[in-house]
Amino acid sequence: MALGREFVADWIARSAQAISEHRSELITLDREIGDGDHGENMDRGFTAVAVKSGDLPADATPADVLKVVATTLISTVGGASGPLYGTAFLKGSQAVADRAELDGAAIVAFLTAARDGIVLRGKAEVGDKTMIDAWTPAVDAAAAAQAEGRSEAEILAAAADAAQSGAESTDPLVARKGRASYLGERAIGHRDPGSVSTTLILRAAADAAAAA
Amino acid sequence: MALGREFVADWIARSAQAISEHRSELITLDREIGDGDHGENMDRGFTAVAVKSGDLPADATPADVLKVVATTLISTVGGASGPLYGTAFLKGSQAVADRAELDGAAIVAFLTAARDGIVLRGKAEVGDKTMIDAWTPAVDAAAAAQAEGRSEAEILAAAADAAQSGAESTDPLVARKGRASYLGERAIGHRDPGSVSTTLILRAAADAAAAA
Amino acid sequence: MSVGLVIVSHSSKIAEGVVELAGQMADGVTIVAAGGTDEGGIGTSFDKVGAAIEAAETGDGVVVLCDLGSAILTTETALDFLDDTARERVAIADAPIVEGAVAAAVAARTGGDRAAVLAAAASANGDA
Amino acid sequence: MSVGLVIVSHSSKIAEGVVELAGQMADGVTIVAAGGTDEGGIGTSFDKVGAAIEAAETGDGVVVLCDLGSAILTTETALDFLDDTARERVAIADAPIVEGAVAAAVAARTGGDRAAVLAAAASANGDA
Ligand SMILES: Nc1ncnc2c1ncn2[C@@H]1O[C@H](COP(=O)(O)OP(=O)(O)O)[C@@H](O)[C@H]1O
Ligand SMILES: Nc1ncnc2c1ncn2[C@@H]1O[C@H](COP(=O)(O)OP(=O)(O)O)[C@@H](O)[C@H]1O
Ligand SMILES: [Mg+2]
Ligand SMILES: [Mg+2]
Ligand SMILES: [Mg+2]
Ligand SMILES: [Mg+2]
């Protein structure tokens, strides 16, 4: 069952909720190896997204909604994650611009374009201890699940699971991008906050798809 | 006739007067190749010096007065010229610390130590388009006049004349120290403001010595 | 006319202070602060950066000075939203924000074009 | 305890902004602003710098970040007026003021000694 605009709306609502619930966890993680604002930044961003995306006309496509997510995150987050997630949703929305509904291929196209947007913007590679360490395994897992002919909900669940493992994989790393790179070896043993927020957002997508 | 504390007091008063009279000239020069505050900086500094040096006890030596000049300039000027002139007067005062009066040799010792202090602090050489382009010829001329057995007033007049020529010699130079160094070739054709204030101060010394 | 400068800092105080400091040596150069988040907190604002770039364009292009990496990310994103002609006239300096801005401002004041202003800013690298 | 930082800028806004920005990543590190002249104008103040160095010394020494050359001159002069033991515990970083202060603050927070903090600050050179 392909996913339409209601799915996107539910995904946003669940993302906003999850980010809000994990706000202090994200703050604590970012305080360890950053400036301590990731929870606040993301909560401000997704609260604004929830409001803005509600204003869209009834005939808005998934891509229209995803573009509003992008521009709102860019305008409101105030930290590195704003341009990064913003670019992700922008490139992702462009990749599915022509679809009224998102099938498995479209979901993989969205995720791939989103990840590529983050790389284009932030120049991080897997292993640099950034949100890319969650996104890239998520894209790969989604592509594999789609190739196996799984449902949209299964594809997104595979992405979320892989993002979760990816986030965990950042624990032993030294950061090569973002503020945590100032810490050198001292970043070892701490999880990258952006990889955790990525996992929350992809898990929200999987949950919204399962409920659709 | 060796010069005592009254000479130093008169020198300060004449310096403060000359700086105040040339305040806008110094500002204009500094606006061309710097940030435009040299006249204000020096006027604030010497106004404070005139006040502070008046507070000294009756038995203060020339060196005591010169030390107050130093610390006052350091505390009040607010630009590069503060630490530079401050260090000059400090090192100069130390060079004549044991004298109740300044003879020709003491004057040369003062000027030499003052110049060395500026070099120690600011690392400029002759030709870098700084106040050193006035100080070093002044020291050399003073030493030559003293070696020829000239009077204190003649020694200081020789120093002031040489400083004047030294200041003029900065016109065609590219600056290698201080703010004017940002300008590259664009500094050519402009006189270094610090070399002009140095000339004013040494001319004030010569005039005070002539009147003593 | 001269190249305009935009100062993108996480702190509105830093951005405003740099405008003051660099402006002292650059009479007539348009230098615009884009510091802090929309709420005035520590962070960067896409809207402030976009508006500052527009305000700094007086006909000879714009050079942007940034403090930390995320200021660069925000600025690059703002550039993505410009149309091609406007974007081509803006460049981000590879330079420390304070020292680079002073050098860039002097270069702009003395009539340097965008490449000269960028080079002046970059010359402040490694020479604090 | 950790190495303390002093931020010597020609602008009180820059100095205060750097304290805020670097402080965000350096809970518990003493970072003291010494910006502007005594009257609050653009310039540096010997008295502010001296007082800031004293305030930043919490037992592990002090690293000073400066903006332009004249800030370094003022700081060096302030150091000349310290007694030898106090002076030996203070060093001026060869680093851009904003980027260097953030790197230095993180190094101080993670327990770096004065040499490590100086090296962290210097690592911000040429990498804005
Ligand atoms: N260059 C980059 N590429 C990819 N991700 C990055 C990059 N820089 C930072 N990040 C991500 O952004 C997260 C921090 O976001 P946030 O705290 O909101 O921004 P800031 O670091 O500006 O305070 C990091 O945990 C990391 O995942
Ligand atoms: N490193 C230096 N060595 C010697 N003199 C210097 C140096 N830097 C600056 N100067 C002198 O200081 C003068 C500028 O003083 P001023 O305008 O009061 O300070 P600022 O440049 O901080 O505004 C210059 O004209 C020059 O003569
Ligand atoms: Mg953060
Ligand atoms: Mg932040
Ligand atoms: Mg000046
Ligand atoms: Mg000045």
Side-chain angles (χ1 to χ4, degrees), chain B residues 76-173:
Chain B
T76 57
V77 168
S81 51
L84 291 166
Y85 281 121
T87 305
F89 277 88
L90 194 63
K91 299 293 181 188
S93 76
Q94 288 162 0
V96 298
D98 50 349
R99 321 271 179 133
E101 301 210 304
L102 307 178
D103 59 11
I107 284 168
V108 171
F110 172 86
L111 293 173
T112 305
R115 188 269 319 270
D116 291 351
I118 296 169
V119 171
L120 183 79
R121 180 63 66 226
K123 312 276 183 310
E125 295 172 12
V126 170
D128 285 354
K129 199 175 182 118
T130 71
M131 58 172 72
I132 282 301
D133 290 336
W135 275 95
T136 288
V139 168
D140 294 345
Q146 199 257 329
E148 288 168 17
R150 303 290 181 80
S151 73
E152 288 78 16
E154 286 168 330
I155 292 169
L156 285 166
D161 290 347
Q164 169 73 36
S165 310
E168 288 163 10
S169 79
T170 66
D171 294 3
L173 299 176

Side-chain angles (χ1 to χ4, degrees), chain B residues 30 33-39 41-42 77-82 84-85 118-119 121-125 129-132 177-180 191-198, chain C residues 24, chain D residues 10 70-71 73:
Chain B
D30 197 31
I33 58 170
D35 58 351
D37 61 5
H38 189 56
N41 288 345
M42 293 298 289
V77 168
S81 51
L84 291 166
Y85 281 121
I118 296 169
V119 171
R121 180 63 66 226
K123 312 276 183 310
E125 295 172 12
K129 199 175 182 118
T130 71
M131 58 172 72
I132 282 301
K177 291 285 170 188
R179 286 175 182 266
R191 190 160 301 172
D192 174 61
S195 70
V196 174
S197 58
T198 294
Chain C
Q24 258 200 324
Chain D
H10 279 69
S70 41
L73 296 181

Side-chain angles (χ1 to χ4, degrees), chain A residues 44 71 74-75 78-80 83-84 87 90 121-122 179 182, chain C residues 10 38-39 43-44 46-47 68 70 73-74 76-77 80-81:
Chain A
R44 181 172 49 237
T71 54
I74 288 171
S75 292
L84 292 165
T87 305
L90 194 63
R121 178 65 64 226
R179 286 175 182 268
Y182 284 109
Chain C
H10 280 69
D38 288 338
E39 296 81 30
T44 53
F46 172 82
D47 290 341
L68 308 178
S70 40
L73 296 181
T74 299
E76 286 175 348
T77 307
D80 275 359
F81 279 78

Side-chain angles (χ1 to χ4, degrees), chain C residues 12-23:
Chain C
S12 59
K13 285 184 182 170
I14 292 178
E16 286 164 22
V18 172
V19 167
E20 261 173 28
L21 181 60

